[in-house]
Amino acid sequence: MPGDFLTKAFYNERRQKLREILPANSVAVFFASPIRNRSGDNDYMYHQDPDFYYLTGYKETSSLLLVFKEMQVSVNGISYDEIIFVRPRNAKEEIWRGSRLGNSGVKDQLGFDEAFDNTEFKRYKIDFSKFSSILFFDFQNDARNNLSDSSDTYDLIAQFKAKVRYPERTSSSLAVEPHKNNVDMIGLESIMDNLRGVKTKEELELLRKAIRISCASQVEVMKAIKPGMSEREIQGIHEYVFKKYQAEDMGYPSIVGAGNNGCVLHYFENYKPSVSNKELILMDLGAEYHGYTADITRTIPVSGKFSPEQKQIYEVVLKAQEAAMKICKPGNSFRDLYLATKHEVDKGLKELGIIQNESDKHNYYPHGCCHHIGLDVHDRGTYDKLEENMVTTIEPGIYIPENSPCDKKWWGIAVRIEDDFLVTKEGNEILSASAPRTVKDIEAMMKLPSALDDFVLPDLDKKN
């Protein structure tokens, strides 16, 4: 196994940091993500809830974590301030699905003293009524009930609801006012935002790796792309590079949109069978490495050279990004960065005659420019002032779909430039600098040979 996974000491420290900012006489409760069904007896590849993973490093489902503000004493006199219930070992299931840690593995490998099989939660004695607040995230996601497993996520949620007298909104009652309780389904949001928004040294190492991998894929596509390739083939080159560098997954569905498809902000189909040398192609992809994801977008000309109109739009977007880069530092706000990009976009669109006045309302730049990245591509974090060791994107864009109210020469041009930035003590560090981002550098990279130039598969439609 790779030697750069986060250690049990890291996760123990994260739980201690959480404990320090919990309110007095409280308990925070976290559930592992349930298994999601794809169809029939096939499930989606499992992905752990990011908050649960951040606090435990545990990658399995049907599990429950409780973190207490103060020390507790069990019925047999043992003191503890955290407890985890996990899937038990099951030899028959492990033949099909792979090994499980079980409670002993969680103790040894993840550093928990109090770890039990999830079958123990139902009868485990915890007096939730004594706490001033029980903090957890409300149950918005569907969890299927596996009838053969009495302690899957569905059942753990049901057992927890019964223990805390969860106020079901669908239940009918003659009471004038709802029953007052100590359930808090709101407070944990800001607590976890503050905890996860500023990255630790260990997290930054994994983010750097995910970003370097993602940059390498952008570089390889710049060298390998040819007119006539499909969007899906280009997506495949990116994701092959991810896997080559042992990235476990994509941080989000890959976006590879040529021509007018690039104007769809979340274009996931990637189905165009042949890209044209007259088109730009917008590629928004991020490798997920040990749970941490990059988020990088490059827009390049399929032909290897920007047309005059493509170059003009690209330069406006690049200027907008660089305006935000200059003020990306502690004390400035996320909104400051967005306004800096919007000013340059509006100014550039006016100068090109695409809009009449800088104050005109338009849909050519319909999104914000910045968000945290980490265990989620849109990671937890506060969105007020930038702080040292936050990691944020800066991603302005201009999208001019066909039939837009401007000269036809601009139609079908979509440009987004997205980079990942570490906020430093006095400024920022661009973590994705190894992926060319200027017109000159992109065109120069696209002239270089690719390792995939000689990779040719047989024509399946050709008769022998």
Side-chain angles (χ1 to χ4, degrees), residues 97-116:
R97 302 285 186 176
S99 63
R100 301 177 178 181
L101 283 181
N103 59 44
S104 61
V106 168
K107 290 178 180 179
D108 294 339
Q109 297 184 36
L110 300 181
F112 282 88
D113 293 326
E114 293 294 297
F116 298 90

Side-chain angles (χ1 to χ4, degrees), residues 23-85:
N25 191 32
S26 67
V27 55
V29 183
F30 299 85
F31 288 84
S33 287
I35 292 172
R36 303 293 185 190
N37 182 254
R38 184 178 185 272
S39 65
D41 60 357
N42 288 309
D43 297 323
Y44 285 104
M45 184 68 71
Y46 183 72
H47 194 282
Q48 185 58 279
D49 173 80
D51 285 322
F52 198 93
Y53 188 71
Y54 180 78
L55 295 169
T56 67
Y58 186 69
K59 300 178 183 179
E60 301 177 35
T61 188
S62 303
S63 307
L64 171 65
L65 169 71
L66 297 95
V67 178
F68 301 90
K69 175 68 173 182
E70 294 90 7
M71 197 65 71
Q72 309 295 305
V73 180
S74 68
V75 292
N76 56 359
I78 295 176
S79 297
Y80 62 95
D81 56 10
E82 59 191 23
I83 185 169
I84 189 169
F85 297 87

